[in-house]
Structure formats: structure tokens, C-alpha cells
Amino acid sequence: MELLKFEAEWCGPCKTQDDILEDFDAVPVTHIDVESDMERANQYSVTSVPTLVLLDDDGTPVKQWTGLTQVEEIEAEL
């Protein structure tokens, strides 16, 4: 499994999401800047940041969250 975190440098809530995920180590977290990787953001239909996308072992999205997300919500899907 992998967690994709879509973010932007100018996004205050994205920095808060980083703080929330600071000690989260259940799955690898990949940070994706939507301004430099629009193709990937479009691939996952990201329309606002922060957005988290949980991928299964095959790379298939199993859950997507928009806005600040608590670790407990992510862990519930693992």
C-alpha cells in the first residue's frame, strides 16, 4: 500500500496535513506537488489540496480524502 499526498507550496492546510502525518509510518507517503505534476493530479481527479489517495499493492486507488484528514481515518482503511 502507498499513500499519495497531493499538495501545493502555498497551501496552509497542506502544511498542517504534514504535521498530522509526521509520525504516520503504516504505509509509505509520497508527496506530489500539484503545480509541478498536474498530470498525476489529473490522473486521480484531484481538484483541491490537500488530497490523500490510498493505493493498494497493485497501485489501484481504494480511498480518497479531500481536506485535512486525521491518521485514524487513514488507519481505518488499512
Side-chain angles (χ1 to χ4, degrees), residues 51-63:
T51 292
L52 302 175
V53 179
L54 183 63
L55 305 177
D56 67 13
D57 291 334
D58 295 325
T60 302
V62 293
K63 181 73 176 177

Side-chain angles (χ1 to χ4, degrees), residues 13-54:
C14 295
K15 292 169 183 25
T16 302
Q17 187 69 68
D18 281 339
D19 293 340
I20 291 170
L21 293 174
E22 185 175 355
D23 295 324
F24 180 72
D25 59 2
V27 298
V29 178
T30 300
H31 296 260
I32 301 166
D33 187 302
V34 295
E35 293 183 336
S36 62
D37 197 348
M38 285 297 292
E39 183 177 323
R40 204 153 183 207
N42 288 334
Q43 176 184 355
Y44 293 99
S45 303
V46 173
T47 57
S48 63
V49 289
T51 292
L52 302 175
V53 179
L54 183 63

